[in-house]
Amino acid sequence: MTAFAGIMFALVAMFLLPATVIEDSPKNAASIPVDLAKATRSTELRGALREDAMFVAVERDGRIWFDRDQITPEHLPAAIRERVSHGAERKVYIRADMRVNYARVLDVLNSVRSAGIDNVAFLVERNPSPTL
């Protein structure tokens, strides 16, 4: 009976314990869940797949994320300049929630431009072409 209990314990441990381990991956601006605006005419941005691509995420409640850090619009230009000085592409990808206040997105855009970056792309969700 003891051997049977040992085998059962080993089987339970083998199947259940790995299922209870939850890995909390660090957030970064490229993975912040936002509801992107939908657009029927959009262009693929292959540069967004680069390792050094700079993403700024604006959540529905107005929180701003750059890289792995929550940031304010006042501190965003310095953070962008720091990344550019380390060789990042001079382009910023903005992932803004479609329900966020437009003034907040405008603050982010002005901060990006004050960092000396004029090449800005807004990421959207591709909406299938409407049928007429």
Side-chain angles (χ1 to χ4, degrees):
M1 186 69 168
T2 307
F4 179 72
I7 292 172
M8 289 305 291
F9 178 75
L11 288 173
V12 168
M14 188 169 55
F15 289 109
L16 291 182
L17 288 180
T20 60
V21 175
I22 298 173
E23 185 176 321
D24 188 22
S25 62
K27 285 184 172 182
N28 63 18
S31 67
I32 296 291
V34 295
D35 292 328
L36 296 174
K38 293 172 179 47
T40 54
R41 297 178 187 211
S42 59
T43 305
E44 274 191 44
L45 299 171
R46 296 182 194 270
L49 300 175
R50 290 176 48 145
E51 265 185 46
D52 64 347
M54 291 186 287
F55 288 92
V56 177
V58 185
E59 291 183 293
R60 183 183 305 182
D61 60 2
R63 289 184 294 174
I64 300 168
W65 293 83
F66 179 72
D67 201 15
R68 287 182 166 77
D69 303 318
Q70 189 174 344
I71 196 165
T72 62
E74 296 80 27
H75 294 103
L76 186 58
I80 291 173
R81 281 190 219 103
E82 174 73 22
R83 287 280 303 277
V84 168
S85 72
H86 287 91
E89 179 186 20
R90 295 184 60 83
K91 184 172 189 170
V92 172
Y93 299 93
I94 298 177
R95 301 179 68 244
D97 192 287
M98 67 179 165
R99 292 179 197 92
V100 72
N101 187 334
Y102 180 71
R104 193 64 169 171
V105 177
L106 190 58
D107 289 343
V108 169
L109 186 59
N110 288 334
S111 294
V112 169
R113 287 188 175 149
S114 71
I117 306 293
D118 292 326
N119 199 355
V120 178
F122 284 90
L123 299 181
V124 296
E125 186 175 315
R126 187 171 286 185
N127 198 12
S129 299
T131 56
L132 297 176

